[in-house]
């Protein structure tokens, strides 16, 4: 295919040849041989213009075909019910007579296993009521800001999944696991987060621009024990508390009731003797609308219940 400059040169050459073509049937002063030469050059130039136009038409047809495919894929993805992602696997409900069975904590899906250091004996931490008011969020998280790249968070995605607006209101209880990819313009309140789960077409997970209003930072297992991002700095929720936790083998957070805290289960060193081998502080939880099943969930995936919008 000719470049734009070459195409302009060809068209300009054809125009110049046409301007030299006789305007009537009389033989020009240059003679008949000049007319024959002009004719051959004109035919050659017009053929070049025709070939270029045909190639341009083919390129346009190819682009239109690709756009048609992209539009079809977009419509297909928009047709997927939003509840599809929130679907979670469930085992058979335990019988009433059977006592609850304690099972090892299940790691979250997508191979996002973590190595957790032992939780130090720092005493219970005060619980700060959750607020989505910007100033209150900044004050509550001040010691952790700005959130660092790679930090795992619970994220409240908007109903409109546009990348440019992730700070809007999504479904009341729709919170998913996400990873901070950057702090926007060095503003401690604004972040880009990414869903670590690949999209259905195999592309990397959706990215969102959002604010602290839609983020709850999760304890960082790699943070120093005296850091505000470490599990030690997070409150331990007592039995009977309402929390939000990552449902086992999914990437979604749900409301749950604490059946037993890490202290109750004697799996943390807090308030008791040191254990020979470090273990992961774990909660026994009963998730809402889950047939009264009880699950063991690592404390790193349990945060305060943010309430409804």
């Amino acid at each position: 295919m000719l470049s734009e400059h070459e195409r302009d040169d060809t068209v300009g050459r054809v125009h110049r040849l046409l301007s030299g073509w006789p305007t009537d049937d009389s033989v020009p002063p240059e003679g008949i041989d000049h007319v024959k030469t002009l004719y051959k050059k004109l035919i050659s130039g017009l053929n070049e213009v025709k070939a270029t136009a045909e190639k341009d038409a083919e390129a346009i047809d190819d682009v239109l075909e690709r756009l048609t495919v992209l539009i079809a894929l977009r419509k297909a993805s928009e047709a997927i019910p939003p509840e599809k992602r929130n679907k979670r696997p469930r085992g058979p409900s335990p019988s009433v007579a059977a006592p609850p069975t304690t099972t090892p904590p299940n790691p979250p899906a997508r191979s996002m296993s973590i190595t957790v250091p032992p939780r130090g004996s720092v005493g219970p931490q005060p619980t700060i009521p959750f607020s989505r008011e910007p100033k209150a969020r900044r004050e509550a998280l001040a010691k952790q800001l700005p959130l660092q790249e790679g930090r795992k968070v619970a994220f409240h995605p908007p109903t409109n999944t546009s990348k440019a607006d992730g700070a809007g209101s999504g479904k009341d209880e729709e919170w998913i696991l996400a990873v901070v990819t950057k702090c926007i313009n060095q503003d401690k309140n604004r972040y880009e987060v990414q869903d670590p789960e690949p999209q259905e077409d195999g592309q990397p997970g959706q990215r969102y621009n959002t604010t602290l209003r839609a983020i709850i930072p999760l304890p960082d297992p790699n943070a120093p024990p005296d850091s505000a991002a470490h599990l030690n700095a997070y409150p331990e929720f007592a039995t009977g508390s309402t929390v939000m936790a990552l449902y086992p083998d999914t990437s979604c957070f749900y409301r749950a009731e604490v059946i037993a805290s890490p202290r109750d289960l004697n799996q943390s060193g807090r308030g008791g003797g040191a254990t020979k081998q470090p273990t992961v502080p774990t909660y026994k939880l009963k998730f809402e609308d889950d047939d009264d099943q009880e699950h063991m969930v690592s404390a790193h995936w349990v945060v305060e219940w943010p309430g409804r919008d």
Side-chain angles (χ1 to χ4, degrees):
M1 183 181 296
L2 296 178
S3 66
E4 184 176 355
H5 179 70
E6 292 173 330
R7 183 187 300 112
D8 290 343
D9 284 348
T10 300
V11 173
R13 178 160 49 88
V14 169
H15 278 295
R16 288 193 297 272
L17 292 172
L18 286 172
S19 65
W21 189 258
T23 57
D24 52 31
D25 295 336
S26 61
V27 178
E30 294 85 353
I32 191 65
D33 290 337
H34 172 74
V35 176
K36 291 180 179 179
T37 301
L38 190 64
Y39 174 78
K40 291 178 180 179
K41 292 181 179 180
L42 190 57
I43 290 298
S44 176
L46 290 173
N47 284 335
E48 288 183 27
V49 173
K50 179 183 177 183
T52 301
E54 290 175 346
K55 290 180 179 179
D56 286 346
E58 290 177 2
I60 292 173
D61 289 340
D62 181 63
V63 170
L64 290 175
E65 183 178 356
R66 292 173 183 269
L67 286 174
T68 302
V69 173
L70 289 174
I71 292 172
L73 290 174
R74 179 66 180 271
K75 289 182 177 179
S77 63
E78 291 177 347
I80 298 175
E83 292 77 15
K84 182 174 182 179
R85 166 152 196 185
N86 292 335
K87 185 177 181 180
R88 61 195 191 201
R90 296 187 180 185
S93 301
S95 62
V96 177
T101 303
T102 301
T103 57
N106 295 324
R110 314 178 194 172
S111 301
M112 296 187 68
S113 59
I114 56 175
T115 302
V116 182
R119 193 171 185 180
S121 301
V122 297
Q125 301 295 308
T127 301
I128 302 175
F130 185 91
S131 171
R132 291 192 185 172
E133 197 275 323
K135 182 178 179 181
R137 291 297 290 152
R138 286 195 299 271
E139 292 177 352
L141 299 172
K143 294 182 179 180
Q144 299 191 47
L145 302 181
L147 300 179
Q148 299 301 307
E149 180 180 350
R151 182 72 180 273
K152 294 182 178 65
V153 298
F155 170 58
H156 188 41
T159 301
N160 177 10
T161 56
S162 169
K163 173 186 173 183
D165 182 15
S169 297
K171 290 189 174 181
D172 287 347
E173 298 178 56
E174 186 180 5
W175 290 79
I176 65 173
L177 183 64
V179 178
V180 174
T181 55
K182 67 179 179 181
C183 178
I184 300 175
N185 296 332
Q186 299 182 337
D187 183 348
K188 295 181 180 180
N189 185 57
R190 299 177 60 217
Y191 297 89
E192 180 186 76
V193 300
Q194 182 175 22
D195 182 349
E197 180 177 316
Q199 301 183 54
E200 291 187 359
D201 59 1
Q203 295 297 313
Q206 174 81 33
R207 290 177 183 259
Y208 304 84
N209 289 349
T210 188
T211 67
L212 291 176
R213 185 177 184 273
I215 292 176
I216 300 178
L218 300 173
D220 184 357
N222 299 317
D226 59 348
S227 167
H230 193 274
L231 181 60
N232 289 341
Y234 281 68
E236 181 173 296
F237 302 102
T239 300
S241 300
T242 299
V243 297
M244 186 172 72
L246 194 69
Y247 192 89
D249 300 321
T250 76
S251 61
C252 299
F253 288 83
Y254 296 93
R255 180 175 177 172
E257 177 188 354
V258 176
I259 303 302
S261 68
R263 180 192 295 271
D264 299 330
L265 297 173
N266 295 320
Q267 290 199 349
S268 74
R270 243 185 343 183
T275 55
K276 294 182 179 180
Q277 293 183 351
T279 55
V280 180
T282 305
Y283 286 90
K284 181 188 289 185
L285 302 177
K286 182 184 293 185
F287 285 90
E288 187 177 57
D289 189 27
D290 196 34
D291 300 329
D292 288 330
Q293 295 189 73
E294 295 178 356
H295 299 271
M296 304 297 289
V297 179
S298 166
H300 286 82
W301 308 114
V302 181
V303 292
E304 66 268 40
W305 166 244
R308 293 178 168 85
D309 288 341

